[in-house]
Amino acid sequence: MTRTRTQPKPASPPIARKTGKSPDVESSPDTRARLIDAAGEEFAEHGFAKATVRDICARAGANIAAVNYHFRDKETLYLETLRHAHRYSIEHYPHHGGLKPDAPAKDKLRAFVRAFLAKMLDCKRPKWHGRLISREMTEPTPALTLLIEEGVRPQFGALCAIVRELAPSVKGDEMEACAASVIGQALHYHHCNSMIKRLYTERKDGFPFDLEFLTDHITRFSLAAFDGLERGAREKNKNRRTNNS
Amino acid sequence: MTRTRTQPKPASPPIARKTGKSPDVESSPDTRARLIDAAGEEFAEHGFAKATVRDICARAGANIAAVNYHFRDKETLYLETLRHAHRYSIEHYPHHGGLKPDAPAKDKLRAFVRAFLAKMLDCKRPKWHGRLISREMTEPTPALTLLIEEGVRPQFGALCAIVRELAPSVKGDEMEACAASVIGQALHYHHCNSMIKRLYTERKDGFPFDLEFLTDHITRFSLAAFDGLERGAREKNKNRRTNNS
DNA sequence: ATGGCCGTCAAACATCCGTTTGAATCGGAC
DNA sequence: GTCCGATTCAAACGGATGTTTGACGGCCAT
């Protein structure tokens, strides 16, 4: 039980930060960054439980002990990787999609849907970000709180604002359910990706759903729904007025 | 390497069936059934990888070796458990919901949505069925094929038929995307259950989304969308005709 | 040059988990 | 009663995995 490392307590392992030299950069940017990258791919592909530290280190070209040196343990590495993916996500895919706040609500909805789908489906540089985040939704770990408060809640709020513009007569729980309907449509292609692909394996023309097609469909479907809901509310109002008078 | 069991080959382990006495009933109905039940809860709660044979046996009140005796191994137990849940599911929640084939399409849609939600959310007897099946969608195992061919594909086909009735002008990939939109809305509350609940923790009145509310909302939202899509198609047709003539 | 860190490495450790084993137990057939 | 197959059991095996260890080498300030 003799400890030779710098830390006196097992509760505060190395983690190697702030060497005193580079003030703003974390130590060993090389290995540490490569580990996060490799961990992201492994975690996204196999999930937290089945991803092994050995594979992660092998992919990163690092020693097995690297994970426990740079991060405390596998779980901390996971949390840090998730944080990284999440930061990247909210930086590169703003929900307004570059639109001004006074843009037409329809355009804002389309931009939101596109950004949401892109975040999940688009296989840009770090293609594991989406899978990692959605995995956290399906089987939450303690890291879920971070995602919700910083990512989900603001985005959901923004979508609710758009919904209020498009269907002002819908209020309360119904309004939030409408927002959930939009998100649900988009997430479906992410969660059930493997199943949907399997459903279409026999088709000669392959998988027909790309980012453009899906953005188009979901926007049109949702706009049609909002339109119909508003129309229904107007008619109900009319009926009530004629009945009352 | 001496084998004392009944089977000469490791490829065909005991599995204890057809004792010769009870022709239609599998042997050891007690332990075997209890194992499937316990396995269902464990697999649903922790997933295939993290669920342990030891915990399953403990929950079933059986010996550790019971799994390898009654089923070949952990994976076969999983497959058998999934099969059980799946059979129960298609038996107890027919997608037509008891409606006749000539019922109005709107009613059929509502029945479909209700059955779909109930299958996933309703906490009837075996509350782990839904979680198990949806887990298979998110991270498929080789057992996925069974679910798709026997469960998903027929249901999806039935929904497509309803969509064709409600929005006859929508065809091809668009039509299937519409069906996916309906399913996506329903599945959302299942996949993101933990996240949605967390989003609502601060609310004084608790989680507002029960089976009735969700059935109502999703049906209304989707019907409004189909209505709007049809209306849009009619207008486009009208425009084309006036432009052409 | 030297000493003290920091990062890396191979090897081992400790634990957990799926599976196997061989004996013990039970129940019915003869 | 005896035998035989089915079932259960405690114990152990073998492998994988997260983690720790102690040494080695490079780098910089002294």
Side-chain angles (χ1 to χ4, degrees):
Chain A
M1 256 298 195
T2 56
R3 302 202 111 260
T4 42
R5 211 54 101 217
T6 330
Q7 288 68 19
K9 286 247 186 182
S12 61
I15 304 199
R17 288 162 176 273
K18 315 255 166 69
T19 74
K21 287 302 152 59
S22 46
D24 49 357
V25 160
E26 291 173 341
S27 75
S28 173
D30 230 348
T31 305
R32 197 186 146 90
R34 266 181 300 135
L35 273 178
I36 284 198
D37 219 60
E41 306 220 23
E42 289 291 325
F43 282 141
E45 194 169 347
H46 304 113
F48 178 80
K50 294 195 83 172
T52 77
V53 174
R54 276 173 176 79
D55 287 349
I56 292 173
C57 290
R59 188 192 278 262
N63 188 271
I64 317 175
V67 162
N68 300 86
Y69 179 78
H70 289 278
F71 311 86
R72 186 198 329 269
D73 47 24
K74 186 186 176 186
E75 191 168 328
T76 309
L77 168 62
Y78 175 77
L79 204 144
E80 216 64 36
T81 307
L82 195 73
R83 208 190 297 270
H84 174 83
H86 172 247
R87 262 199 294 258
Y88 181 96
S89 165
I90 56 178
E91 263 179 35
H92 288 65
Y93 298 100
H95 54 74
H96 50 269
L99 255 56
K100 291 171 188 166
D102 60 344
K106 293 190 177 191
D107 295 348
K108 281 197 277 190
L109 180 68
R110 171 177 294 272
F112 183 95
V113 170
R114 166 185 283 277
F116 201 88
L117 283 171
K119 201 184 330 186
M120 291 296 176
L121 296 177
D122 207 10
C123 290
K124 279 277 178 61
R125 290 291 137 237
K127 59 177 171 295
W128 43 270
H129 283 176
R131 280 201 70 76
L132 238 199
I133 291 178
S134 90
R135 193 177 277 275
E136 190 66 24
M137 296 189 202
T138 316
E139 30 187 336
T141 72
L144 179 61
T145 307
L146 173 80
L147 283 187
I148 289 192
E149 296 310 322
E150 292 183 23
V152 178
R153 204 185 289 278
Q155 281 217 20
F156 190 73
L159 179 57
C160 283
I162 299 175
V163 169
R164 271 190 290 263
E165 279 192 71
L166 288 168
S169 72
V170 180
K171 296 193 177 76
D173 293 342
E174 261 293 335
M175 182 272 291
E176 293 187 333
C178 283
S181 281
V182 175
I183 291 181
Q185 290 179 72
L187 273 182
H188 178 54
Y189 292 94
H190 188 245
H191 283 142
C192 299
N193 198 285
S194 51
M195 173 159 290
I196 292 177
K197 270 185 183 151
R198 287 279 281 275
L199 262 179
Y200 284 89
T201 40
E202 304 141 354
R203 288 175 58 132
K204 46 271 155 217
D205 49 356
F207 188 64
F209 302 148
D210 63 347
L211 176 62
E212 290 312 314
F213 178 87
L214 288 182
T215 304
D216 215 59
H217 163 71
I218 295 177
T219 308
R220 188 161 41 200
F221 190 90
S222 303
L223 283 178
F226 293 138
D227 227 50
L229 289 177
E230 279 303 288
R231 194 184 307 269
R234 274 203 301 272
E235 282 182 14
K236 195 189 282 182
N237 249 341
K238 202 192 295 176
N239 284 349
R240 194 188 309 156
R241 253 175 304 182
T242 54
N243 284 355
N244 281 1
S245 62
Chain B
M1 254 297 198
T2 57
R3 303 202 110 261
T4 43
R5 210 57 96 218
T6 331
Q7 288 67 19
K9 286 247 185 179
S12 60
I15 305 200
R17 287 161 177 272
K18 314 253 168 71
T19 73
K21 289 300 153 62
S22 47
D24 50 357
V25 161
E26 290 173 340
S27 74
S28 173
D30 232 348
T31 305
R32 197 186 147 91
R34 268 181 299 136
L35 273 178
I36 284 197
D37 219 60
E41 306 220 23
E42 289 291 326
F43 283 142
E45 194 168 347
H46 303 112
F48 178 79
K50 294 194 84 171
T52 77
V53 173
R54 278 172 174 80
D55 287 349
I56 292 173
C57 290
R59 188 192 278 261
N63 187 272
I64 317 174
V67 162
N68 301 86
Y69 179 79
H70 289 277
F71 310 86
R72 186 198 329 266
D73 47 25
K74 185 187 177 187
E75 191 167 329
T76 309
L77 168 62
Y78 175 77
L79 204 143
E80 216 63 37
T81 306
L82 196 73
R83 208 190 297 270
H84 174 84
H86 173 247
R87 262 199 295 258
Y88 181 96
S89 165
I90 57 178
E91 263 178 35
H92 286 66
Y93 299 99
H95 55 75
H96 50 269
L99 254 56
K100 291 171 188 165
D102 60 344
K106 293 190 177 190
D107 294 350
K108 281 197 278 191
L109 180 68
R110 171 177 294 272
F112 183 95
V113 170
R114 166 185 283 277
F116 201 88
L117 283 172
K119 200 183 330 187
M120 292 296 176
L121 296 177
D122 207 10
C123 290
K124 280 275 178 63
R125 291 291 137 239
K127 60 176 171 295
W128 45 269
H129 283 176
R131 281 200 68 77
L132 237 199
I133 291 178
S134 90
R135 193 177 277 277
E136 189 66 24
M137 296 189 200
T138 316
E139 28 188 338
T141 73
L144 179 62
T145 307
L146 172 80
L147 283 187
I148 289 193
E149 296 310 322
E150 292 184 23
V152 178
R153 202 183 290 277
Q155 281 218 19
F156 190 73
L159 178 56
C160 282
I162 299 176
V163 170
R164 271 190 290 263
E165 278 192 72
L166 288 168
S169 72
V170 180
K171 296 192 178 75
D173 293 343
E174 261 293 334
M175 181 271 292
E176 294 187 333
C178 283
S181 281
V182 175
I183 291 181
Q185 290 179 71
L187 274 182
H188 179 55
Y189 292 93
H190 188 243
H191 283 141
C192 299
N193 199 285
S194 52
M195 173 158 290
I196 293 177
K197 270 184 182 151
R198 287 278 282 274
L199 263 178
Y200 285 88
T201 40
E202 305 142 354
R203 289 175 58 133
K204 48 269 156 215
D205 49 354
F207 187 64
F209 302 148
D210 63 347
L211 177 62
E212 291 311 314
F213 178 87
L214 288 181
T215 304
D216 214 59
H217 164 71
I218 294 176
T219 308
R220 188 161 41 201
F221 190 91
S222 303
L223 283 179
F226 292 138
D227 227 50
L229 290 176
E230 278 304 287
R231 194 185 307 270
R234 273 201 303 273
E235 281 182 14
K236 195 189 282 182
N237 247 342
K238 201 193 297 175
N239 284 349
R240 193 187 311 155
R241 251 176 306 182
T242 54
N243 284 355
N244 280 2
S245 63

